[in-house]
Amino acid sequence: MSGFGAHLVKEDIVSYVALGDSFTEGMSDPYPDSDTVPNGRYRGWADRLAEHLADHVAEVRYANLAVRGKLVGQIVDEQLPRAVELAPDLVTLCAGGNDIIRPGSDPDAVASVFEGAVRELSRTGAHVVVFTGFDTNWQPVMRHMRGKIATYNMNVRAVADTYGCDVVDLWSMRILDDQRAWSWDRLHLSSEGHRRMALRVAEVLGVPVEGDWNEPWPPVAARPWRAARQDDLYWAREFLVPWIGRRLTGRSSGDNVRPKRPVLEPLRRN
């Protein structure tokens, strides 16, 4: 467990910057007023973590630079310089997932770019938290990617050891093997998944919170085989085919999307 939680209670002001892609942007976890905000507005585990931090200090200054669809190189080019400039106390960095799921990607090469980002963040004196990739064993269509993800995860752990980062091990979070942890697209966490993720990151940091990220899911009846296959077909039509189309045309879901919190500003609960 990290010593950041013990450090936290001694401070009046704590600054936190979140870097990454859709996972950190918070997609599929909308705020209640999201329908009234252009392009939608997402909460996500990072916003929830900032709220947990705010339970222990007078002021949390929070920026979230994450943008959906970003590759690790884009995060380095577009988000890292701003994070270094902001010089926060705490940084979370989850990157590489969009690279790894692309056909032909090399997890070792992706990890090399990731290491460069961690090196720069570490030089600022910030407390850095990194994340492994999820285990896709529960997802039939993406199960074949487990080997690449596992290789990348070992690289991430090696980088964390080198630079003294905390690691949130998503691979070992078996509670996320349940479909209720995921949104309809099977790639982004549901609101409940994001809530549990925030509790898990707080635990790694040693920040006291109410609630247990590993609380068992309530029992639920198994879906009939035919209904499950219909769900698979719906997912392929509504998500997989458009995703492939964007890859073939060089487009991204993050095109023309700006970071939701580009500057460090006091957290105001919604």
Side-chain angles (χ1 to χ4, degrees), residues 1 16 23 29 43-53 55-56 129 131 167-170 173 175-176 189 191-217:
M1 181 178 293
Y16 165 39
F23 171 70
D29 182 22
R43 188 182 186 187
W45 66 264
D47 286 24
R48 293 170 181 267
L49 175 64
E51 293 169 6
H52 290 313
L53 298 175
D55 289 336
H56 301 282
V129 181
F131 298 73
V167 179
V168 180
D169 185 10
L170 306 183
M173 293 179 67
I175 200 72
L176 300 181
L189 293 173
S191 291
E192 176 61 13
H194 278 287
R195 185 189 73 83
R196 290 173 182 257
M197 185 59 60
L199 293 173
R200 175 63 176 136
V201 180
E203 179 182 79
V204 169
L205 287 170
V207 176
V209 291
E210 294 185 6
D212 178 9
W213 64 267
N214 204 27
E215 179 182 359
W217 295 95

Side-chain angles (χ1 to χ4, degrees), residues 19 153 174 220 227:
L19 308 178
N153 286 352
R174 298 272 68 92
V220 62

Side-chain angles (χ1 to χ4, degrees), residues 7 20 28 47 155 190 233 239 265:
H7 163 79
S28 299
D47 286 24
N155 278 289
S190 64
L233 290 173
F239 176 74
E265 56 186 4

Side-chain angles (χ1 to χ4, degrees), residues 15-199:
S15 55
Y16 165 39
V17 174
L19 308 178
D21 50 33
S22 58
F23 171 70
T24 302
E25 183 186 348
M27 285 189 69
S28 299
D29 182 22
Y31 277 103
D33 63 347
S34 61
D35 291 341
T36 66
V37 179
N39 298 320
R41 183 162 65 107
Y42 294 98
R43 188 182 186 187
W45 66 264
D47 286 24
R48 293 170 181 267
L49 175 64
E51 293 169 6
H52 290 313
L53 298 175
D55 289 336
H56 301 282
V57 294
E59 180 175 300
V60 171
R61 296 175 181 172
Y62 168 49
N64 190 318
L65 308 180
V67 174
R68 66 199 72 169
K70 294 300 181 182
L71 303 173
V72 65
Q74 293 173 315
I75 292 170
V76 168
D77 293 341
E78 300 168 12
Q79 300 176 28
L80 180 63
R82 179 59 175 160
V84 171
E85 178 185 3
L86 293 173
D89 302 307
L90 173 67
V91 175
T92 56
L93 172 63
C94 185
N98 288 319
D99 301 79
I100 296 302
I101 64 177
R102 291 193 172 203
S105 62
D106 179 353
D108 295 319
V110 176
S112 178
V113 180
F114 179 85
E115 180 175 9
V118 173
R119 183 187 308 117
E120 291 301 312
L121 292 171
S122 297
R123 288 173 178 168
T124 69
H127 191 100
V128 181
V129 181
V130 298
F131 298 73
T132 70
F134 294 102
D135 185 357
T136 57
N137 186 48
W138 69 276
Q139 166 55 276
V141 178
M142 299 179 68
R143 187 177 296 155
H144 70 282
M145 299 179 185
R146 294 185 78 210
K148 288 175 65 176
I149 297 171
T151 299
Y152 185 65
N153 286 352
M154 295 305 295
N155 278 289
V156 168
R157 286 193 168 278
V159 170
D161 287 345
T162 299
Y163 297 98
C165 306
D166 281 338
V167 179
V168 180
D169 185 10
L170 306 183
W171 183 278
S172 67
M173 293 179 67
R174 298 272 68 92
I175 200 72
L176 300 181
D177 292 349
D178 192 290
Q179 289 190 357
R180 286 169 288 185
W182 299 89
S183 68
W184 69 272
D185 66 13
R186 305 184 184 182
L187 188 62
H188 301 108
L189 293 173
S190 64
S191 291
E192 176 61 13
H194 278 287
R195 185 189 73 83
R196 290 173 182 257
M197 185 59 60
L199 293 173

